[in-house]
């Protein structure tokens, strides 16, 4: 089934050119199907890029999904036109009156700040608390994973001496979990972050389960509440050129920028990137939607607790 996304969202035309079938809201309402409601809290600076990356992955499920975009009332993004935000995004104050089958909370460029120093931290705490009883399953990505683990379980973050930047092999800890159906023993995941959470802290809390990790990049996926929460330290949603764009942007303004590891052919930035994570990214999102959202959510969405 196609995605139901807002009419005229820029991602529609981008994904159609990639031969991905999406359906705008006008056409979707003509079908008598109860779609799964997915809400995306997009905290990334360039909203349109992140929208497209996530919709690309969500489009692979055979289930019909209705996608909503949430924005913060306490923060105005600087890198996305206000017209785009007004047309396609709704404030948390509006969306919190609804229930959702699934939620995705993205990373944000505030890793080096203490959580309490983030201007929108109070609103984030309210959203985290709301998601516990109004969403069947939530994916927390990168900074959101750090912040979610801190808010829900008191797990601290630690600044890194240098940026974790590149594509790193991850090992599944429990390959029998439905989230890993179809996975190989090792899978690649892009990372671009300045902080980490650590195994020793997570292991102290029996409510948390480390389900994937790497010798190079550390803990990569933590599961809680039997799959109602997933905390992902990297970026499986990244498009092939995202790390390349970050590298070329930063090296032009700073002298300490390193080449992303395990990313370019022969580790040479004059060569094109090697995309080694796309298949597992599609599998993970498909498995999440099927086994942790669709199979677990009640038929009557208002029964989510």
């Amino acid at each position: 089934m196609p995605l139901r996304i807002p009419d005229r969202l820029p991602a529609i035309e981008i994904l159609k050119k990639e031969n991905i079938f999406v359906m705008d809201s006008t056409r979707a309402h003509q079908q008598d199907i109860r779609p799964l409601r997915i809400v995306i809290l997009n905290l990334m600076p360039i909203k349109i890029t992140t929208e497209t990356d996530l919709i690309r992955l969500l489009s692979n499920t055979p289930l019909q999904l209705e996608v909503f975009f949430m924005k913060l009332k306490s923060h105005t993004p600087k890198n996305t036109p206000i017209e785009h935000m007004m047309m396609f995004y709704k404030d948390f104050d509006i969306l919190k009156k609804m229930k959702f089958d699934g939620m995705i909370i993205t990373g944000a460029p505030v890793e080096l700040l203490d959580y309490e120093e983030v201007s929108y931290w109070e609103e984030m705490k309210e959203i985290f608390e709301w998601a516990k009883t109004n969403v069947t399953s939530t994916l927390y990505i990168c900074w959101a994973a750090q912040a979610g683990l801190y808010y829900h379980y008191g797990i601290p973050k630690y600044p890194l001496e240098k940026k974790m930047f590149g594509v790193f092999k991850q090992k599944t800890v429990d390959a029998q979990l439905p989230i890993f159906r179809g996975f190989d023993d090792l899978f690649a995941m892009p990372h671009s972050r300045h902080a980490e959470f650590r195994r020793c802290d997570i292991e102290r809390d029996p409510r948390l389960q480390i389900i994937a990790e790497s010798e190079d990049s550390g803990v990569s996926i933590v599961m809680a509440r039997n799959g109602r929460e997933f905390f992902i330290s990297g970026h499986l949603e990244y498009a092939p050129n995202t790390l390349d764009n970050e590298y070329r942007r930063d090296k032009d303004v700073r002298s300490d920028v390193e080449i992303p590891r395990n990313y370019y052919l022969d580790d040479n930035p004059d060569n094109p990137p090697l995309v080694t994570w796309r298949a597992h990214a599609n599998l993970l999102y498909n498995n999440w939607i099927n086994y942790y959202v669709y199979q677990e959510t009640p038929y009557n969405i208002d029964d989510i607790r």
Side-chain angles (χ1 to χ4, degrees):
M1 285 290 179
L3 292 176
R4 294 172 58 169
I5 55 181
D7 296 350
R8 301 189 301 280
L9 188 75
I12 294 176
E13 293 306 316
I14 296 171
L15 296 174
K16 281 182 177 178
K17 291 177 182 177
E18 298 179 18
N19 202 29
I20 292 174
F21 185 28
V22 294
M23 178 183 291
D24 61 33
S25 298
T26 301
R27 181 178 174 189
H29 285 311
Q30 298 173 6
Q31 296 190 333
D32 187 19
I33 295 173
R34 195 295 235 183
L36 296 174
R37 286 184 190 164
I38 307 295
V39 62
I40 298 173
L41 174 55
N42 184 2
L43 303 172
M44 294 294 279
I46 304 177
K47 308 295 184 190
I48 295 171
T49 298
T50 306
E51 292 161 12
T52 306
D53 289 346
L54 291 171
I55 289 172
R56 182 184 291 112
L57 290 171
L58 293 172
S59 68
N60 267 336
T61 175
L63 303 166
Q64 187 175 123
L65 311 180
E66 184 174 13
V67 179
F68 298 77
F69 293 100
M70 178 185 290
K71 65 184 176 74
L72 301 174
K73 193 172 183 179
S74 54
H75 176 70
T76 301
K78 299 177 181 178
N79 299 293
T80 300
I82 189 65
E83 295 81 7
H84 182 88
M85 299 301 298
M86 292 177 65
M87 181 174 292
F88 302 117
Y89 283 70
K90 292 182 173 62
D91 286 338
F92 170 60
D93 283 347
I94 295 173
L95 292 176
K96 71 180 182 181
K97 301 171 185 176
M98 302 170 63
K99 302 274 188 175
F100 290 90
D101 303 289
M103 183 174 192
I104 300 171
I105 307 178
T106 75
V110 292
E111 281 183 288
L112 296 180
L113 295 176
D114 290 340
Y115 298 113
E116 290 77 12
E117 293 178 351
V118 175
S119 62
Y120 46 84
W121 180 241
E122 290 303 315
E123 190 172 6
M124 289 300 301
K125 291 195 298 182
E126 187 180 354
I127 292 170
F128 289 159
E129 190 63 29
W130 168 84
K132 287 166 60 175
T133 54
N134 290 276
V135 179
T136 298
S137 183
T138 303
L139 294 184
Y140 296 80
I141 300 172
C142 198
W143 178 81
Q146 299 168 15
L149 283 170
Y150 175 74
Y151 174 77
H152 292 301
Y153 303 101
I155 302 298
K157 69 174 178 179
Y158 301 88
L160 296 167
E161 292 185 3
K162 63 178 181 179
K163 184 178 182 180
M164 186 66 65
F165 193 39
V167 181
F168 303 95
K169 289 290 185 182
Q170 315 295 320
K171 181 173 177 57
T172 57
V173 176
D174 185 352
Q176 299 303 311
L177 288 171
I179 194 72
F180 295 134
R181 292 272 168 88
F183 268 57
D184 299 313
D185 292 336
L186 296 174
F187 65 98
M189 180 185 290
H191 287 258
S192 178
R193 52 185 168 84
H194 295 275
E196 66 177 354
F197 42 80
R198 294 178 181 171
R199 164 181 272 277
C200 58
D201 295 316
I202 296 168
E203 287 181 328
R204 293 192 188 102
D205 193 325
R207 298 171 295 175
L208 299 174
Q209 181 181 359
I210 297 170
I211 62 174
E213 60 184 338
S214 165
E215 291 184 1
D216 294 318
S217 58
V219 176
S220 57
I221 307 179
V222 176
M223 185 176 77
R225 300 172 66 210
N226 294 317
R228 292 199 68 174
E229 296 165 348
F230 289 94
F231 304 92
I232 304 174
S233 64
H235 290 278
L236 278 171
E237 80 282 1
Y238 268 5
N241 63 342
T242 301
L243 292 179
D244 181 64
N245 291 340
E246 289 185 24
Y247 167 66
R248 298 187 189 283
R249 176 200 66 198
D250 293 346
K251 78 179 182 67
D252 289 338
V253 296
R254 299 207 322 268
S255 60
D256 61 340
V257 177
E258 296 186 356
I259 296 170
R261 294 163 59 189
N262 313 311
Y263 178 56
Y264 298 110
L265 180 65
D266 299 325
D267 287 325
N268 183 348
D270 293 330
N271 291 330
L274 287 174
V275 183
T276 56
W277 63 92
R278 182 187 289 130
H280 286 103
N282 281 296
L283 265 178
L284 185 134
Y285 276 78
N286 206 353
N287 288 342
W288 173 64
I289 288 292
N290 184 19
Y291 298 113
Y292 296 91
V293 178
Y294 175 66
Q295 301 290 348
E296 298 296 330
T297 203
Y299 179 79
N300 183 352
I301 196 169
D302 292 326
D303 290 338
I304 294 174
R305 297 287 184 269

